[in-house]
Amino acid sequence: MNWTTALPSFLITLREGFEAALVVGIVLACLAKADRPDLKRWVYLGLLAGLLASLLLGLLLGNALGTLSAAQFYYAPALRLLLEALLCAIAVGLLSWMLIWMTQQSRSLKSEVEQGIQQAIRAGSDRAVFGIVFAAVLREGFETVIFLLTQGQRGWLPSLGAIAGLSGAGLLGWAIFRGSIRLNLRRFFQVMGVLLLVITGGLLLTALRKLDGGLGLLNQLSQGRWGLCQSAASCVLGPQLWDLQAVLPDRQFPGLFLKLIAGYSDRLFLIPAIAYIIFWIGVGGLYFRSLRSPQPTKTPAPQES
């Protein structure tokens, strides 16, 4: 049993779940400080609604993939690969954007949430409290669902990793706001951010390989009538740069571990190599530049009973 397949899902859900848990904890702390325990139920309703909406999205997209797998349509296998490539590309975009956005917004996240809750309390708006929590949970849940769908073909272990990550995020958030532990949030998100960059870069390589595989299969099924592939080796990957199948195969450890975490392939082609370098220069550069500005390291105040 290869437990390394659960690691990417665990890391993603731990980080995304913890971000949502921070927002929920900040809202609960604000309500406790304002002596408005009657509004807490709207926090839990927003949390539940966000989770259910994320689950519904996952079921709809997962059903689409399952339908293509079971379909007897002639081009269904190729279309499934292309849909998986699209999901990987969406996941890359979402994770990259949220990584940079969250890093830039983390300095003002607590104050913005507190300001929104205070305005909701003054206006007597239960829906505003619900909406703040719902939006935060749905945002993180949407990213997580898209990522997990890219891991679906690896069996049930990614799902187990996701459950462990979400459980850990919830316990970590609860412990911080109860004052049981203190955590340097800046350092936590910095470390998780670098890991997320590695995983997202790997997803980019996976998206390109799936796109190439889908186009290759489509070209094969159409008997080359559409002229999708100009080369027998690849359709969109370009010329091969190396072949390490005899040295570090990606179907055996440690190559398999590198493949699951960073998208390693024992056969590297030109276009994925260029895309990977551009990703680290562009997204990685923006991320590391966003870390230069000083950020507060204090953990949120403990929730009052």
Side-chain angles (χ1 to χ4, degrees), residues 38-272:
D38 55 301
L39 294 177
K40 287 184 178 180
R41 67 189 184 99
W42 292 101
V43 177
Y44 300 128
L45 286 174
L47 174 61
L48 180 61
L51 291 173
L52 289 177
S54 300
L55 180 61
L56 178 60
L57 172 66
L59 290 175
L60 290 174
L61 292 177
N63 183 65
L65 287 173
T67 300
L68 282 176
S69 297
Q72 300 300 316
F73 177 53
Y74 186 64
Y75 294 109
L79 293 179
R80 177 185 171 87
L81 279 174
L82 294 176
L83 179 57
E84 290 176 352
L86 177 61
L87 288 176
C88 287
I90 293 174
V92 169
L94 284 175
L95 293 174
S96 300
W97 179 77
M98 284 304 300
L99 174 63
I100 297 171
W101 179 86
M102 187 62 188
T103 303
Q104 294 174 340
Q105 297 296 318
S106 60
R107 294 183 289 275
S108 58
L109 175 64
K110 183 181 178 182
S111 61
E112 289 180 358
V113 173
E114 288 177 340
Q115 183 179 3
I117 292 300
Q118 290 168 2
Q119 291 176 352
I121 292 174
R122 287 195 296 268
S125 176
D126 301 340
R127 294 180 180 179
V129 175
F130 171 89
I132 290 173
V133 176
F134 174 77
V137 175
L138 181 61
R139 182 180 65 233
E140 309 302 338
F142 180 72
E143 297 174 42
T144 302
V145 163
I146 295 296
F147 176 81
L148 291 178
L149 285 173
T150 68
Q151 308 294 299
Q153 69 275 17
R154 294 172 180 169
W156 57 273
L157 282 176
S159 299
L160 185 60
I163 294 173
L166 289 175
S167 301
L171 289 173
L172 190 58
W174 177 84
I176 287 177
F177 282 93
R178 295 301 297 181
S180 303
I181 63 172
R182 296 191 64 83
L183 180 67
N184 187 322
L185 296 182
R186 181 185 181 188
R187 187 53 56 91
F188 173 83
F189 281 114
Q190 283 179 350
V191 174
M192 295 299 293
V194 173
L195 292 174
L196 186 58
L197 275 174
V198 173
I199 293 173
T200 306
L203 269 180
L204 175 61
L205 298 179
T206 300
L208 289 172
R209 287 197 292 266
K210 287 185 176 294
L211 174 62
D212 184 77
L215 291 177
L217 184 55
L218 201 61
N219 189 67
Q220 179 182 347
L221 293 174
S222 66
Q223 298 180 348
R225 290 193 302 269
W226 299 341
L228 298 174
C229 300
Q230 303 301 321
S231 169
S234 71
C235 293
V236 296
L237 302 184
Q240 182 173 304
L241 299 181
W242 75 39
D243 187 343
L244 299 180
Q245 295 183 69
V247 179
L248 189 61
D250 58 18
R251 296 179 181 274
Q252 301 175 12
F253 185 86
L256 179 59
F257 176 78
L258 294 175
K259 179 179 180 179
L260 294 172
I261 298 298
Y264 165 77
S265 175
D266 51 25
R267 298 172 66 218
L268 180 65
F269 293 84
L270 178 62
I271 299 303

